[in-house]
């Protein structure tokens, strides 16, 4: 999951670079939408269905992660103001990933059994990340 988080952090970076280069927000949005549909939706599903349940349902860290997933999903589906929405995606996605990596996942690792780790490994065999290089606006 950490490798996938790295790609999410790169999405935030690409959005920042796009803004700093004054790239048309529609170009940035096209890439962000592609990333969401091809990587982030499945990533969220795996976390929500197989990783977060390792902690209790009422765990505050899990509640926070789920709320952040809902917020990010709404942002990716927002179609009004690309500049404002992309800015929020860039900021909130990065904060969310840092939270999962630094706070939530270490807590899950403390309580997860060997069988749970094996199950996650079994159901989550990420393919090599293939980026969308149709428009390298960040270069």
């Amino acid at each position: 999951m950490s490798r996938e988080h790295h790609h999410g952090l790169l999405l935030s970076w690409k959005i920042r670079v796009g803004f700093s280069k004054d790239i048309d927000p529609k170009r940035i949005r096209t890439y962000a939408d592609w990333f969401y549909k091809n990587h982030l939706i499945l990533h969220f599903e795996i976390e929500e269905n197989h990783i977060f349940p390792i902690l209790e349902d009422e765990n505050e860290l899990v509640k926070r992660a789920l709320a952040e997933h809902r917020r990010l999903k709404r942002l990716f589906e927002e179609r009004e103001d690309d500049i404002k929405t992309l800015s929020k995606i860039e900021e909130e996605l990065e904060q969310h990933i840092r939270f999962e990596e630094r706070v939530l996942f270490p807590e899950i690792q403390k309580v997860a059994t060997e069988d749970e780790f094996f199950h996650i490994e079994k159901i989550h065999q990420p393919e090599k990340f293939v980026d969308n290089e149709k428009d390298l606006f960040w270069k």
Side-chain angles (χ1 to χ4, degrees), residues 74-88:
R74 282 194 304 273
L75 284 172
F76 277 99
E77 292 164 7
E78 173 65 42
R79 294 290 162 217
E80 290 301 312
D81 181 347
D82 280 341
I83 293 173
K84 183 178 175 183
T85 301
L86 286 166
S87 293
K88 288 180 181 178

PDB file of all heavy atoms in Angstrom, residues 74-88:
ATOM      1  N   ARG A  74     -15.853  12.740  -2.962  1.00  0.00           N
ATOM      2  CA  ARG A  74     -16.703  13.885  -3.354  1.00  0.00           C
ATOM      3  C   ARG A  74     -15.899  14.916  -4.135  1.00  0.00           C
ATOM      4  O   ARG A  74     -16.390  15.484  -5.117  1.00  0.00           O
ATOM      5  CB  ARG A  74     -17.338  14.535  -2.125  1.00  0.00           C
ATOM      6  CG  ARG A  74     -18.526  13.764  -1.586  1.00  0.00           C
ATOM      7  CD  ARG A  74     -19.340  14.571  -0.590  1.00  0.00           C
ATOM      8  NE  ARG A  74     -18.582  15.085   0.537  1.00  0.00           N
ATOM      9  CZ  ARG A  74     -18.349  14.430   1.672  1.00  0.00           C
ATOM     10  NH1 ARG A  74     -18.826  13.198   1.838  1.00  0.00           N
ATOM     11  NH2 ARG A  74     -17.661  14.973   2.640  1.00  0.00           N
ATOM     12  N   LEU A  75     -14.670  15.161  -3.731  1.00  0.00           N
ATOM     13  CA  LEU A  75     -13.845  16.132  -4.447  1.00  0.00           C
ATOM     14  C   LEU A  75     -13.568  15.672  -5.877  1.00  0.00           C
ATOM     15  O   LEU A  75     -13.632  16.470  -6.813  1.00  0.00           O
ATOM     16  CB  LEU A  75     -12.525  16.374  -3.706  1.00  0.00           C
ATOM     17  CG  LEU A  75     -12.610  17.252  -2.468  1.00  0.00           C
ATOM     18  CD1 LEU A  75     -11.281  17.258  -1.728  1.00  0.00           C
ATOM     19  CD2 LEU A  75     -13.024  18.672  -2.841  1.00  0.00           C
ATOM     20  N   PHE A  76     -13.248  14.394  -6.045  1.00  0.00           N
ATOM     21  CA  PHE A  76     -12.971  13.895  -7.398  1.00  0.00           C
ATOM     22  C   PHE A  76     -14.227  13.935  -8.265  1.00  0.00           C
ATOM     23  O   PHE A  76     -14.124  14.036  -9.485  1.00  0.00           O
ATOM     24  CB  PHE A  76     -12.376  12.485  -7.354  1.00  0.00           C
ATOM     25  CG  PHE A  76     -10.893  12.471  -7.117  1.00  0.00           C
ATOM     26  CD1 PHE A  76     -10.389  12.245  -5.848  1.00  0.00           C
ATOM     27  CD2 PHE A  76     -10.003  12.694  -8.154  1.00  0.00           C
ATOM     28  CE1 PHE A  76      -9.024  12.233  -5.610  1.00  0.00           C
ATOM     29  CE2 PHE A  76      -8.634  12.689  -7.933  1.00  0.00           C
ATOM     30  CZ  PHE A  76      -8.138  12.460  -6.662  1.00  0.00           C
ATOM     31  N   GLU A  77     -15.386  13.860  -7.666  1.00  0.00           N
ATOM     32  CA  GLU A  77     -16.636  13.897  -8.426  1.00  0.00           C
ATOM     33  C   GLU A  77     -17.149  15.323  -8.645  1.00  0.00           C
ATOM     34  O   GLU A  77     -18.030  15.537  -9.474  1.00  0.00           O
ATOM     35  CB  GLU A  77     -17.688  13.040  -7.719  1.00  0.00           C
ATOM     36  CG  GLU A  77     -17.330  11.565  -7.778  1.00  0.00           C
ATOM     37  CD  GLU A  77     -18.100  10.699  -6.803  1.00  0.00           C
ATOM     38  OE1 GLU A  77     -19.031  11.211  -6.140  1.00  0.00           O
ATOM     39  OE2 GLU A  77     -17.759   9.506  -6.698  1.00  0.00           O
ATOM     40  N   GLU A  78     -16.592  16.283  -7.938  1.00  0.00           N
ATOM     41  CA  GLU A  78     -16.986  17.693  -8.064  1.00  0.00           C
ATOM     42  C   GLU A  78     -16.633  18.212  -9.466  1.00  0.00           C
ATOM     43  O   GLU A  78     -15.566  17.928  -9.982  1.00  0.00           O
ATOM     44  CB  GLU A  78     -16.259  18.525  -7.002  1.00  0.00           C
ATOM     45  CG  GLU A  78     -16.448  20.011  -7.111  1.00  0.00           C
ATOM     46  CD  GLU A  78     -17.880  20.444  -6.877  1.00  0.00           C
ATOM     47  OE1 GLU A  78     -18.522  19.917  -5.948  1.00  0.00           O
ATOM     48  OE2 GLU A  78     -18.350  21.290  -7.641  1.00  0.00           O
ATOM     49  N   ARG A  79     -17.538  18.948 -10.075  1.00  0.00           N
ATOM     50  CA  ARG A  79     -17.324  19.420 -11.446  1.00  0.00           C
ATOM     51  C   ARG A  79     -17.458  20.928 -11.613  1.00  0.00           C
ATOM     52  O   ARG A  79     -17.500  21.408 -12.729  1.00  0.00           O
ATOM     53  CB  ARG A  79     -18.328  18.737 -12.390  1.00  0.00           C
ATOM     54  CG  ARG A  79     -18.099  17.265 -12.513  1.00  0.00           C
ATOM     55  CD  ARG A  79     -16.834  16.983 -13.284  1.00  0.00           C
ATOM     56  NE  ARG A  79     -16.399  15.626 -13.045  1.00  0.00           N
ATOM     57  CZ  ARG A  79     -15.135  15.273 -12.934  1.00  0.00           C
ATOM     58  NH1 ARG A  79     -14.187  16.140 -13.044  1.00  0.00           N
ATOM     59  NH2 ARG A  79     -14.812  14.018 -12.707  1.00  0.00           N
ATOM     60  N   GLU A  80     -17.514  21.684 -10.528  1.00  0.00           N
ATOM     61  CA  GLU A  80     -17.752  23.123 -10.647  1.00  0.00           C
ATOM     62  C   GLU A  80     -16.485  23.914 -10.982  1.00  0.00           C
ATOM     63  O   GLU A  80     -16.315  24.381 -12.083  1.00  0.00           O
ATOM     64  CB  GLU A  80     -18.389  23.652  -9.361  1.00  0.00           C
ATOM     65  CG  GLU A  80     -19.815  23.179  -9.162  1.00  0.00           C
ATOM     66  CD  GLU A  80     -20.749  23.584 -10.291  1.00  0.00           C
ATOM     67  OE1 GLU A  80     -20.744  24.764 -10.686  1.00  0.00           O
ATOM     68  OE2 GLU A  80     -21.481  22.707 -10.788  1.00  0.00           O
ATOM     69  N   ASP A  81     -15.607  24.073 -10.039  1.00  0.00           N
ATOM     70  CA  ASP A  81     -14.446  24.955 -10.156  1.00  0.00           C
ATOM     71  C   ASP A  81     -13.175  24.098 -10.084  1.00  0.00           C
ATOM     72  O   ASP A  81     -12.724  23.739  -9.000  1.00  0.00           O
ATOM     73  CB  ASP A  81     -14.498  25.985  -9.021  1.00  0.00           C
ATOM     74  CG  ASP A  81     -13.350  26.972  -9.057  1.00  0.00           C
ATOM     75  OD1 ASP A  81     -12.368  26.755  -9.788  1.00  0.00           O
ATOM     76  OD2 ASP A  81     -13.443  27.983  -8.328  1.00  0.00           O
ATOM     77  N   ASP A  82     -12.602  23.801 -11.248  1.00  0.00           N
ATOM     78  CA  ASP A  82     -11.440  22.899 -11.280  1.00  0.00           C
ATOM     79  C   ASP A  82     -10.276  23.422 -10.448  1.00  0.00           C
ATOM     80  O   ASP A  82      -9.606  22.636  -9.771  1.00  0.00           O
ATOM     81  CB  ASP A  82     -10.975  22.664 -12.724  1.00  0.00           C
ATOM     82  CG  ASP A  82     -11.820  21.627 -13.444  1.00  0.00           C
ATOM     83  OD1 ASP A  82     -12.522  20.842 -12.775  1.00  0.00           O
ATOM     84  OD2 ASP A  82     -11.775  21.609 -14.690  1.00  0.00           O
ATOM     85  N   ILE A  83     -10.005  24.696 -10.486  1.00  0.00           N
ATOM     86  CA  ILE A  83      -8.866  25.231  -9.736  1.00  0.00           C
ATOM     87  C   ILE A  83      -9.065  24.995  -8.239  1.00  0.00           C
ATOM     88  O   ILE A  83      -8.177  24.469  -7.556  1.00  0.00           O
ATOM     89  CB  ILE A  83      -8.649  26.728 -10.046  1.00  0.00           C
ATOM     90  CG1 ILE A  83      -8.207  26.898 -11.504  1.00  0.00           C
ATOM     91  CG2 ILE A  83      -7.612  27.336  -9.101  1.00  0.00           C
ATOM     92  CD1 ILE A  83      -8.132  28.331 -11.971  1.00  0.00           C
ATOM     93  N   LYS A  84     -10.213  25.374  -7.737  1.00  0.00           N
ATOM     94  CA  LYS A  84     -10.500  25.202  -6.315  1.00  0.00           C
ATOM     95  C   LYS A  84     -10.512  23.722  -5.938  1.00  0.00           C
ATOM     96  O   LYS A  84      -9.929  23.319  -4.920  1.00  0.00           O
ATOM     97  CB  LYS A  84     -11.854  25.845  -5.997  1.00  0.00           C
ATOM     98  CG  LYS A  84     -12.244  25.815  -4.553  1.00  0.00           C
ATOM     99  CD  LYS A  84     -13.583  26.530  -4.365  1.00  0.00           C
ATOM    100  CE  LYS A  84     -14.070  26.412  -2.941  1.00  0.00           C
ATOM    101  NZ  LYS A  84     -15.383  27.037  -2.757  1.00  0.00           N
ATOM    102  N   THR A  85     -11.167  22.909  -6.753  1.00  0.00           N
ATOM    103  CA  THR A  85     -11.282  21.478  -6.455  1.00  0.00           C
ATOM    104  C   THR A  85      -9.922  20.793  -6.506  1.00  0.00           C
ATOM    105  O   THR A  85      -9.574  20.008  -5.610  1.00  0.00           O
ATOM    106  CB  THR A  85     -12.262  20.806  -7.427  1.00  0.00           C
ATOM    107  OG1 THR A  85     -13.533  21.451  -7.303  1.00  0.00           O
ATOM    108  CG2 THR A  85     -12.415  19.325  -7.132  1.00  0.00           C
ATOM    109  N   LEU A  86      -9.140  21.074  -7.538  1.00  0.00           N
ATOM    110  CA  LEU A  86      -7.813  20.459  -7.643  1.00  0.00           C
ATOM    111  C   LEU A  86      -6.916  20.889  -6.490  1.00  0.00           C
ATOM    112  O   LEU A  86      -6.131  20.078  -5.976  1.00  0.00           O
ATOM    113  CB  LEU A  86      -7.164  20.810  -8.984  1.00  0.00           C
ATOM    114  CG  LEU A  86      -7.743  20.090 -10.199  1.00  0.00           C
ATOM    115  CD1 LEU A  86      -7.277  20.760 -11.481  1.00  0.00           C
ATOM    116  CD2 LEU A  86      -7.375  18.616 -10.187  1.00  0.00           C
ATOM    117  N   SER A  87      -7.030  22.131  -6.070  1.00  0.00           N
ATOM    118  CA  SER A  87      -6.246  22.596  -4.918  1.00  0.00           C
ATOM    119  C   SER A  87      -6.602  21.806  -3.670  1.00  0.00           C
ATOM    120  O   SER A  87      -5.724  21.415  -2.894  1.00  0.00           O
ATOM    121  CB  SER A  87      -6.490  24.089  -4.674  1.00  0.00           C
ATOM    122  OG  SER A  87      -5.961  24.851  -5.724  1.00  0.00           O
ATOM    123  N   LYS A  88      -7.887  21.576  -3.468  1.00  0.00           N
ATOM    124  CA  LYS A  88      -8.326  20.795  -2.309  1.00  0.00           C
ATOM    125  C   LYS A  88      -7.870  19.343  -2.424  1.00  0.00           C
ATOM    126  O   LYS A  88      -7.439  18.749  -1.432  1.00  0.00           O
ATOM    127  CB  LYS A  88      -9.838  20.872  -2.158  1.00  0.00           C
ATOM    128  CG  LYS A  88     -10.324  22.214  -1.667  1.00  0.00           C
ATOM    129  CD  LYS A  88     -11.831  22.220  -1.530  1.00  0.00           C
ATOM    130  CE  LYS A  88     -12.316  23.579  -1.056  1.00  0.00           C
ATOM    131  NZ  LYS A  88     -13.776  23.639  -0.943  1.00  0.00           N
TER     132      LYS A  88
END
